[in-house]
Amino acid sequence: MTNNNTATMRAIRQETHGSPEVLKEVELPRPEPGLSEILIAVRAAGVNPTDWWNRAQALTIDRLPLILGWDVSGVVEAVGTGVTTFKPGDEVFGMLPYPHGVGAHAEYVTAPARSFVHKPAGIDHIQAGAIPLAALTAYQALVDTADVQPGQRVFIHAAAGGVGHLAVQIAKSRGAYVIGTASAAKHDFLRSLGVDEAIDYHTVDITEAVKDVDVVLDPVSLDADARARSLAVLRPGGTLVSILPVPVGPDELAKFAERGVRFESLLVEADQAGMKAIADLVEDGALHAHIEATFPLAEAAKAHALGETGRTTGKIVLTVDGTDKGRIAAQTLRAAFEGNNHGVIDRNVRPDYIQHNPLAPDGPEAMKAFGAAWQQQFPDATYEEKRVVTEGDLVLLHSHGVLVPGTPGLAVFDIFRFQDGRIAEHWDILQEAPATTANGNDMFATLSAPQTDAPGQRQFTARNKKLVTDYVDRLLVRKDLAAVDEYLGTDYHEHSPNIPEGPAGVKTGLAAYFERFPQLSVAPKRVIAEGDLVAVQSHYVEGPGERGRAVIDLFRVRDERVVEHWDASQDVPEASANDNTMF
């Protein structure tokens, strides 16, 4: 991952205030944790109104250049002196100290350890990255400040917004009766959160429709006239909490006092105790962030533009590469073999990286050297990723590499294992693509109307994985050709260059193969599944005493039948540059 001299990261920075276009992706030195700090590899970071307000003008933070972002969910990369509560590898979420601790819209950020808590195991980083600032704001307003009690009437402006929709859930967890405002189109959403009365602020005068409220949470009122509406609905002795950093004059404060209303202006604080309470609500199922949209870090400007429309529901989240292992894997391969961008390898590859390609030694420096030699030998090589399959910490890339323009090229499968968000291990197989095939299909095309991204398809991952695992066991391990009739669809397409098209072609081709190698053994090593794609890495040994071949078979499943197959095969060499097997 790191080069001791040049550890860098990507970040979204602005050099001036203005529209979303001032946000630019830059490469910066990676920070190091100080005393009592942790270094976090960011996996997701929320985007809040304070981000686009501070982007457009100096508001709560006045410095340039500026990296925005306070919400963080990620993995502890390193700990500073004095930190005892976290260790590298821990998944955490929390808020950077507001306002001056800003900087979450980057691949790495440092933060006080005691501003963070362990991420609940039941939510992913995107959900966790949406929660901290908005939930802490709501919690500190309703619990720490107003001390909401069971049966109290709580009025929440903009109840479908980032803070509002979490505030509704926190108030309901306290046993409150909740009234919330939103446009009529969002009322069903409010009711799904538990709102007892939903009010359309476009058509209803709240000063006439609502009375005797104990607590008002106000994230919208910028002036005295707007705040007067909240004052009108409060009972004497009630509490109005504003979360906007706007001035309130003495005359207005006097009006609150005349009505016997307590007014508080809240600026959210990083707070480990509050985060622990929020994490408990999440784990109990009482608090869940609604995600309006996610954007990759590089598209932060689009996230800001969407937020500024004022029409979103819930939260917007930026995702960092660690949430997209396939992208990291492809980016790293291109850096090594095409782009010569060693900074990408430093970011993405662990120092203890293990290599199973027999030609390359272990470690990221060996990856750089091997890639550089490859580029020198094949300066005009091109690579095209065809398919990506990601499951847990494993990523499979299926690619077409053309080393010399005008040649059929190579069918390439790469498998990466990730650890703590970085590449820890790699296996691969390369096979020359022939000019012609037995089935008339090339080794890369898609002929089966892929369904991987269709709604609901991914819920069948486990079922598809079991189906392919059983099929491989029956057909290849136990050599039962009857499995072809049971598992293959009638519209089956074959991309292995030596096997004819269709189920009948598979039967014919494999029958001849089994007859030629009666002592064939096939040992599956790992299976990777995502949606309708399932990959199986195996060790084929065609006779006793042979080193055998490394093979990856990639299957597409639809309607509980295998409908397409690609593969690549490579002989296991006698010696390896890294003392590791290919498996």
Side-chain angles (χ1 to χ4, degrees):
M1 163 61 190
T2 62
N3 176 321
N4 290 332
N5 297 318
T6 57
T8 61
M9 68 173 186
R10 291 183 303 125
I12 302 300
R13 189 171 70 176
Q14 62 184 93
E15 303 286 342
T16 185
H17 294 108
S19 65
E21 287 68 32
V22 302
L23 300 173
K24 304 296 183 183
E25 182 177 322
V26 296
E27 187 108 354
L28 298 172
R30 194 184 72 177
E32 296 294 334
L35 295 174
S36 301
E37 288 186 333
I38 54 177
L39 173 67
I40 302 169
V42 180
R43 296 291 178 261
V47 182
N48 297 284
T50 187
D51 290 299
W52 53 80
W53 292 339
N54 276 285
R55 185 214 70 233
Q57 60 190 325
L59 188 63
T60 59
I61 185 165
D62 185 9
R63 69 169 183 260
L64 291 170
L66 176 62
I67 300 171
L68 290 164
W70 285 269
D71 284 326
V72 179
S73 182
V75 179
V76 175
E77 181 78 10
V79 300
T81 301
V83 176
T84 61
T85 52
F86 298 114
K87 302 298 180 188
D90 287 349
E91 293 189 317
V92 297
F93 77 136
M95 190 187 86
L96 303 179
Y98 190 86
H100 301 294
V102 68
H105 295 168
E107 290 183 308
Y108 292 89
V109 71
T110 56
R114 293 191 177 272
S115 295
F116 282 73
V117 298
H118 290 281
K119 180 182 74 66
I123 61 172
D124 61 19
H125 284 293
I126 292 174
Q127 178 69 202
I131 288 174
L133 186 147
L136 276 175
T137 301
Y139 189 88
Q140 290 169 9
L142 297 177
V143 180
D144 295 344
T145 302
D147 190 24
V148 169
Q149 297 296 310
Q152 286 191 321
R153 290 165 58 84
V154 175
F155 185 91
I156 299 172
H157 290 277
V163 171
H165 86 292
L166 297 174
V168 168
Q169 297 171 71
I170 291 170
K172 293 303 294 184
S173 76
R174 305 278 291 183
Y177 182 94
V178 177
I179 306 163
T181 67
S183 61
K186 297 180 180 180
H187 284 189
D188 285 344
F189 171 68
L190 294 190
R191 295 185 187 99
S192 74
L193 301 175
V195 165
D196 297 286
E197 291 183 41
I199 293 177
D200 181 358
Y201 62 90
H202 292 295
T203 60
V204 174
D205 184 347
I206 64 168
T207 63
E208 296 180 0
V210 181
K211 299 294 181 186
D212 298 323
V213 167
D214 296 283
V215 177
V216 173
L217 176 59
D218 187 353
V220 298
S221 299
L222 294 172
D223 55 35
D225 290 341
R227 285 187 291 272
R229 295 178 300 158
S230 296
L231 178 63
V233 305
L234 280 162
R235 65 166 180 79
T239 300
L240 169 59
V241 184
S242 169
I243 63 170
L244 295 178
V246 293
V248 178
D251 291 343
E252 187 179 359
L253 291 174
K255 290 181 180 178
F256 292 138
E258 289 172 9
R259 288 284 307 273
V261 167
R262 174 190 175 199
F263 173 79
E264 300 288 355
S265 179
L266 173 75
L267 200 64
V268 65
E269 300 178 68
D271 173 17
Q272 189 179 53
M275 281 305 304
K276 181 62 172 67
I278 288 164
D280 289 343
L281 288 173
V282 171
E283 290 181 328
D284 291 342
L287 187 65
H288 179 86
H290 174 81
I291 309 299
E292 170 76 17
T294 64
F295 294 87
L297 181 66
E299 296 182 4
K302 292 182 180 179
H304 277 235
L306 176 62
E308 286 181 310
T309 66
R311 296 191 293 270
T312 59
T313 299
K315 290 296 299 288
I316 300 168
V317 178
L318 295 180
T319 60
V320 186
D321 278 346
T323 61
D324 186 357
K325 297 182 179 70
R327 180 182 169 194
I328 292 179
Q331 181 186 60
T332 303
L333 276 181
R334 287 189 173 275
F337 292 98
E338 195 174 59
N340 199 25
N341 185 343
H342 289 175
V344 172
I345 296 173
D346 292 334
R347 272 200 312 273
N348 295 341
V349 180
R350 290 175 58 91
D352 55 354
Y353 166 77
I354 299 170
Q355 173 64 267
H356 294 273
N357 181 311
L359 299 178
D362 290 335
E365 295 306 315
M367 176 188 285
K368 296 175 189 177
F370 186 81
W374 192 273
Q375 289 176 53
Q376 187 172 10
Q377 184 178 2
F378 302 107
D380 298 319
T382 60
Y383 306 91
E384 181 181 5
E385 292 90 22
K386 294 294 187 177
R387 288 155 200 89
V388 181
V389 184
T390 303
E391 182 183 10
D393 286 331
L394 293 175
V395 172
L396 176 133
L397 292 180
H398 181 205
S399 306
H400 184 195
V402 178
L403 305 185
V404 178
T407 63
L410 299 173
V412 183
F413 283 99
D414 292 276
I415 296 177
F416 298 87
R417 181 178 67 82
F418 281 72
Q419 182 176 333
D420 301 333
R422 292 168 296 165
I423 296 171
E425 200 163 6
H426 170 251
W427 304 260
D428 67 352
I429 293 174
L430 298 84
Q431 178 180 332
E432 290 188 4
T436 60
T437 67
N439 45 55
N441 304 323
D442 67 27
M443 295 185 71
F444 310 101
T446 297
L447 304 174
S448 63
Q451 301 295 310
T452 299
D453 295 324
Q457 179 64 34
R458 294 181 187 277
Q459 67 182 305
F460 298 113
T461 295
R463 183 183 300 180
N464 293 341
K465 184 176 183 179
K466 184 179 187 306
L467 184 146
V468 168
T469 302
D470 291 345
Y471 173 59
V472 168
D473 178 68
R474 283 270 305 276
L475 181 64
L476 298 175
V477 176
R478 292 190 277 158
K479 307 180 187 67
D480 179 4
L481 290 172
V484 171
D485 298 322
E486 183 175 338
Y487 287 92
L488 297 194
T490 56
D491 55 346
Y492 174 84
H493 297 285
E494 178 59 67
H495 296 275
S496 178
N498 301 316
I499 299 176
E501 179 79 329
V506 173
K507 267 186 155 179
T508 302
L510 287 181
Y513 181 52
F514 295 158
E515 183 176 358
R516 182 182 176 190
F517 300 104
Q519 293 182 290
L520 170 74
S521 69
V522 176
K525 297 296 183 178
R526 43 193 60 81
V527 182
I528 309 169
E530 182 181 17
D532 58 357
L533 292 173
V534 183
V536 183
Q537 181 198 29
S538 304
H539 186 189
Y540 283 54
V541 178
E542 294 170 341
E546 294 185 0
R547 290 185 297 274
R549 293 183 295 121
V551 180
I552 291 180
D553 293 282
L554 178 62
F555 302 89
R556 190 187 300 285
V557 180
R558 187 169 66 245
D559 299 330
E560 301 196 6
R561 292 277 181 163
V562 176
V563 295
E564 197 161 13
H565 169 253
W566 306 261
D567 68 353
S569 170
Q570 181 177 334
D571 289 338
V572 176
E574 183 175 353
S576 171
N578 47 49
D579 296 325
N580 305 320
T581 75
M582 291 185 71
F583 308 100

